[in-house]
Amino acid sequence: MDSQTSQPPQESPSPHTFQVDLRGLVDLLSHHLYSSPKVYLRELLQNAVDAITARRAEQPGAPARVRLHADGRTLRVDDTGVGLTESDVHGLLATIGRSSKRADGLQEARSDFLGQFGIGLLACFVVAERIRVVSRSSRTPGAPPVEWTARDDGSYTVRTLPESARPEPGTTVHLVARAGAGEWLTPERVRTLARDFGSLLPYDVRVGDEPVTDLPAPWDRPHPSPAARRVALARHCQGLFGFTPLDSIDLNVPLAGVRGVAYVLPAAVSPAQRATHRVHLKGMLLTERAEQLLPDWAFFVRCVLDTDSLRPTASRESLYEDETLAAVREALGERIRSWLTGLAANDPERLAAFLSVHHLGVKSLARHDTEMLRTMLPWLPFETTDGRLSLEEFAQRHPVVHFTRAVEEYRQVAPIASAQGIGVVNGGYTYDSDLVEALPSVRPGTVVAELDTDTVTAHLDAVDPAEELALSGFLAAARARLDPLGCDVVLRAFHPLSVPALHLDDRAARHEQARAEAEEQADDLWAGILGSLRGSAPRARLVLNHLSPLIRRIGALKDAELIGTATESLYGQALLMAQRPLRPADSALLNRAFIGLLEWATHGEDGHR
């Protein structure tokens, strides 16, 4: 353990009391500061490591050992660090007293005492009812060993001991478990926690005779070939995160004091899912759940790294958001970006395998990064009327790149647009419309246009006026039937012939339709307000295909009621083909039309028609 000052030893055997409510402070630590009692062992290890570091700064050849011994009831942690004098012990207790009065004081104590961190001993009260510390300072060779014994009721005693109590400098901490907390002091649990927290520590740490540290870190170990290194890292990822990665990305940023590796997830994840990463601070595991370490777009990787520059929060279970973290986040994002561009240039097969799973993450990055969009343009897949293509290939085929902003709009027009030679990109998926609109910025001369219903209708062939006039009665009956649904009926000629009717609307038409429905259901006051919002947007259209044999047969019917039923059936079928969500009125119409056609068919068989 570290020390603040060195003064001659003095007897102080009388009992003292913390100038704090220790029970309340332990409750604060266990329920509000720390997420789990397991952090007590991290604090003990950190204190020991800080103490050794402090001693080695003054005595480079000093031993660097930490030994832990547990039996389920007690735990002993022995280090060869700088040690404490009696005045250091009193200074520690005074610091604890000051730090307990408010939460930010805890952080202040962490910064001022025991190296960079702080209240490690106090954290032990989460699992211990009694703590005994025996320490001897290396800074004051003549100072005798000092013993500090504290209980969870807030009382403690400090006394000096004979030289024989601890001949060498360093500190030994003895814990006696609280009632019900013995499981945290079993040999198996202590061994597991020590390995989890301390595997990258730079000193010789052992639980009993078993080593805890495992150096060098997996990303720093030599391997005979890049392929062998990938296999070794994949094995490390499987043991650490539970999955075999698609690839691994080195995160070596010397200027930011960061070394580590990012593992690419083998399955797609939602961009909204917060990625969590393992962060070691100077070898000690800080957190397994660091969320703000990478840019939001890099949700397709999980990281493990060691840093000496980032600042922990008071609980040392997350990272403090400051300029340093922002700079590290940007630097790590650049490493992942460089990996992607390297794959595009040197390993297209691995890039294709990656994009087949994580194209959404790359699209998210490309929205804000022109260079990334330019690099990924030949590789990013989009749904188009020509199949699943990259925007680069699609733009080479079509002089105008049309796109829709909604999946429903694309499904409405895709079959017809394809038959008419119009190239359309489905921009309804996440980020796709943004990337299509950004296409001219990286591919000068490309013409991009949003496809609306008027554009589609304009590409459909008009029907000869004489033929349309002959069908005026049929069209009037069809329009009368669909008018209550806010839908017009028009007649055009288009391919394929297998599509008898096409339902076309746009966002403005859907908005007006929703407003009209709300107005019908509202009371007088709201109906007046909604009525004042009535827009002039065009209504939805049911485009009947004059080239379809079915439409020609329906057009020849004379029974207005049967024409209406047939029109409702065509309307419902067009909605289903576009995979549009059905409103209650649409579902009722489909049911009514189906029953009507059944009645007509069965009556016809009985000779009633």
Side-chain angles (χ1 to χ4, degrees), residues 349-486:
E349 289 186 3
R350 284 172 66 200
L351 177 64
F354 165 75
L355 289 177
S356 67
V357 178
H358 294 299
H359 58 273
L360 202 57
V362 180
K363 286 180 177 180
S364 173
L365 171 59
R367 280 190 312 154
H368 306 293
D369 191 318
T370 302
E371 282 305 311
M372 181 56 65
L373 178 58
R374 183 178 289 109
T375 301
M376 293 291 112
L377 202 56
W379 308 101
L380 288 174
F382 288 79
E383 183 180 354
T384 78
T385 48
D386 291 355
R388 198 160 180 80
L389 299 175
S390 70
L391 287 181
E392 175 67 28
E393 185 175 356
F394 187 81
Q396 291 173 359
R397 297 184 182 186
H398 298 278
V400 179
V401 178
H402 289 97
F403 73 98
T404 63
R405 293 189 183 276
V407 174
E408 293 84 359
E409 293 173 5
Y410 176 82
R411 289 171 177 164
Q412 289 179 65
V413 303
I416 309 305
S418 180
Q420 306 302 314
I422 306 173
V424 185
V425 178
N426 184 357
Y429 296 115
T430 306
Y431 311 132
D432 282 10
S433 61
D434 292 339
L435 293 176
V436 176
E437 289 183 297
L439 190 55
S441 67
V442 296
R443 198 176 188 277
T446 303
V447 179
V448 173
E450 183 176 356
L451 186 69
D452 55 24
T453 57
D454 290 334
T455 304
V456 177
T457 305
H459 280 78
L460 304 180
D461 295 332
V463 177
D464 182 87
E467 294 187 39
E468 187 167 0
L469 182 61
L471 294 172
S472 58
F474 158 69
L475 293 175
R479 287 167 180 151
R481 183 58 65 95
L482 295 187
D483 182 69
L485 295 173

Side-chain angles (χ1 to χ4, degrees), residues 412-570:
Q412 289 179 65
V413 303
I416 309 305
S418 180
Q420 306 302 314
I422 306 173
V424 185
V425 178
N426 184 357
Y429 296 115
T430 306
Y431 311 132
D432 282 10
S433 61
D434 292 339
L435 293 176
V436 176
E437 289 183 297
L439 190 55
S441 67
V442 296
R443 198 176 188 277
T446 303
V447 179
V448 173
E450 183 176 356
L451 186 69
D452 55 24
T453 57
D454 290 334
T455 304
V456 177
T457 305
H459 280 78
L460 304 180
D461 295 332
V463 177
D464 182 87
E467 294 187 39
E468 187 167 0
L469 182 61
L471 294 172
S472 58
F474 158 69
L475 293 175
R479 287 167 180 151
R481 183 58 65 95
L482 295 187
D483 182 69
L485 295 173
C487 183
D488 291 333
V489 177
V490 296
L491 189 66
R492 294 289 188 274
F494 55 87
H495 292 274
L497 302 183
S498 58
V499 179
L502 175 67
H503 182 270
L504 293 178
D505 66 358
D506 54 25
R507 281 165 294 160
R510 288 195 294 273
H511 176 75
E512 174 62 20
Q513 190 176 59
R515 187 210 57 77
E517 291 176 356
E519 181 180 356
E520 290 179 1
Q521 299 173 8
D523 56 29
D524 291 342
L525 174 61
W526 280 108
I529 294 174
L530 292 170
S532 67
L533 299 176
R534 183 179 295 112
S536 58
R539 304 203 305 172
R541 276 169 270 183
L542 182 68
V543 184
L544 302 179
N545 187 359
H546 186 54
L547 300 181
S548 167
L550 176 62
I551 295 299
R552 289 180 178 272
R553 289 195 295 271
I554 295 175
L557 295 173
K558 303 301 182 185
D559 187 329
E561 185 62 29
L562 183 56
I563 289 174
T565 300
T567 301
E568 289 180 335
S569 299
L570 290 170

Side-chain angles (χ1 to χ4, degrees), residues 199-465:
S199 62
L200 300 184
L201 290 175
Y203 304 132
D204 179 14
V205 182
R206 296 173 185 262
V207 177
D209 296 325
E210 296 187 32
V212 166
T213 51
D214 187 19
L215 297 176
W219 48 86
D220 287 330
R221 294 171 188 169
H223 297 281
S225 67
R229 185 173 188 270
R230 276 201 298 271
V231 170
L233 289 176
R235 192 180 304 116
H236 173 248
C237 178
Q238 180 66 50
L240 197 63
F241 293 118
F243 65 86
T244 300
L246 286 178
D247 206 349
S248 55
I249 308 168
D250 283 320
L251 300 179
N252 183 16
V253 189
L255 292 178
V258 171
R259 287 192 62 82
V261 62
Y263 293 115
V264 181
L265 292 167
V269 293
S270 167
Q273 179 178 330
R274 298 299 298 249
T276 56
H277 313 284
R278 287 178 64 96
V279 177
H280 295 256
L281 191 58
K282 298 180 181 178
M284 183 72 71
L285 178 66
L286 178 72
T287 178
E288 302 172 276
R289 301 184 299 275
E291 293 185 346
Q292 68 272 49
L293 187 65
L294 296 181
D296 290 341
W297 55 261
F299 54 82
F300 50 83
V301 298
R302 295 292 181 271
C303 296
V304 54
L305 56 82
D306 188 25
T307 175
D308 58 14
S309 63
L310 297 179
R311 177 183 170 192
T313 58
S315 66
R316 291 211 1 253
E317 294 186 288
S318 60
L319 297 171
Y320 190 83
E321 184 68 48
D322 57 12
E323 293 181 359
T324 302
L325 178 57
V328 168
R329 181 163 49 234
E330 183 178 350
L332 296 181
E334 183 57 38
R335 288 294 181 273
I336 298 173
R337 184 185 289 107
S338 298
W339 170 77
L340 284 171
T341 55
L343 286 187
N346 304 313
D347 201 340
E349 289 186 3
R350 284 172 66 200
L351 177 64
F354 165 75
L355 289 177
S356 67
V357 178
H358 294 299
H359 58 273
L360 202 57
V362 180
K363 286 180 177 180
S364 173
L365 171 59
R367 280 190 312 154
H368 306 293
D369 191 318
T370 302
E371 282 305 311
M372 181 56 65
L373 178 58
R374 183 178 289 109
T375 301
M376 293 291 112
L377 202 56
W379 308 101
L380 288 174
F382 288 79
E383 183 180 354
T384 78
T385 48
D386 291 355
R388 198 160 180 80
L389 299 175
S390 70
L391 287 181
E392 175 67 28
E393 185 175 356
F394 187 81
Q396 291 173 359
R397 297 184 182 186
H398 298 278
V400 179
V401 178
H402 289 97
F403 73 98
T404 63
R405 293 189 183 276
V407 174
E408 293 84 359
E409 293 173 5
Y410 176 82
R411 289 171 177 164
Q412 289 179 65
V413 303
I416 309 305
S418 180
Q420 306 302 314
I422 306 173
V424 185
V425 178
N426 184 357
Y429 296 115
T430 306
Y431 311 132
D432 282 10
S433 61
D434 292 339
L435 293 176
V436 176
E437 289 183 297
L439 190 55
S441 67
V442 296
R443 198 176 188 277
T446 303
V447 179
V448 173
E450 183 176 356
L451 186 69
D452 55 24
T453 57
D454 290 334
T455 304
V456 177
T457 305
H459 280 78
L460 304 180
D461 295 332
V463 177
D464 182 87

Side-chain angles (χ1 to χ4, degrees), residues 90-114:
H90 285 293
L92 165 65
L93 299 178
T95 301
I96 290 175
R98 288 195 303 269
S99 69
S100 65
K101 295 176 183 177
R102 63 184 193 276
D104 58 351
L106 294 175
Q107 177 60 46
E108 180 184 354
R110 289 186 162 303
S111 301
D112 293 343
F113 196 77
L114 293 181

Side-chain angles (χ1 to χ4, degrees), residues 17-217:
T17 304
F18 291 110
Q19 299 302 307
V20 295
D21 176 6
L22 187 57
R23 290 185 182 276
L25 192 54
V26 169
D27 180 72
L28 170 68
L29 294 173
S30 59
H31 293 99
H32 301 287
L33 188 62
Y34 296 126
S35 62
S36 166
K38 70 180 182 180
V39 298
Y40 88 92
L41 192 65
R42 181 192 65 194
E43 297 293 346
L44 286 175
L45 282 177
Q46 188 66 65
N47 283 345
V49 168
D50 286 348
I52 293 172
T53 301
R55 184 177 180 186
R56 282 204 155 186
E58 301 171 356
Q59 304 173 18
R65 298 187 306 271
V66 181
R67 298 291 184 265
L68 298 91
H69 302 275
D71 60 15
R73 171 62 180 163
T74 64
L75 171 67
R76 186 175 84 252
V77 181
D78 185 80
D79 69 65
T80 58
V82 70
L84 298 167
T85 64
E86 185 181 6
S87 61
D88 295 333
V89 171
H90 285 293
L92 165 65
L93 299 178
T95 301
I96 290 175
R98 288 195 303 269
S99 69
S100 65
K101 295 176 183 177
R102 63 184 193 276
D104 58 351
L106 294 175
Q107 177 60 46
E108 180 184 354
R110 289 186 162 303
S111 301
D112 293 343
F113 196 77
L114 293 181
Q116 186 179 353
F117 308 106
I119 56 174
L121 280 179
L122 202 58
C124 295
F125 280 118
V126 174
V127 298
E129 68 175 14
R130 182 162 59 89
I131 301 173
R132 177 173 173 258
V133 178
V134 177
S135 186
R136 183 167 186 171
S137 174
S138 66
R139 291 174 173 170
T140 310
V146 60
E147 177 192 72
W148 171 59
T149 303
R151 297 183 175 277
D152 60 1
D153 62 2
S155 64
Y156 70 91
T157 59
V158 178
R159 62 173 181 155
T160 56
L161 300 176
E163 294 263 341
S164 58
R166 185 173 183 92
E168 299 296 327
T171 301
T172 302
V173 179
H174 302 262
L175 302 186
V176 177
R178 296 165 63 94
E183 62 172 308
W184 294 105
L185 272 62
T186 61
E188 297 78 12
R189 177 63 67 90
V190 169
R191 188 180 303 112
T192 299
L193 292 177
R195 286 175 177 168
D196 198 32
F197 285 123
S199 62
L200 300 184
L201 290 175
Y203 304 132
D204 179 14
V205 182
R206 296 173 185 262
V207 177
D209 296 325
E210 296 187 32
V212 166
T213 51
D214 187 19
L215 297 176

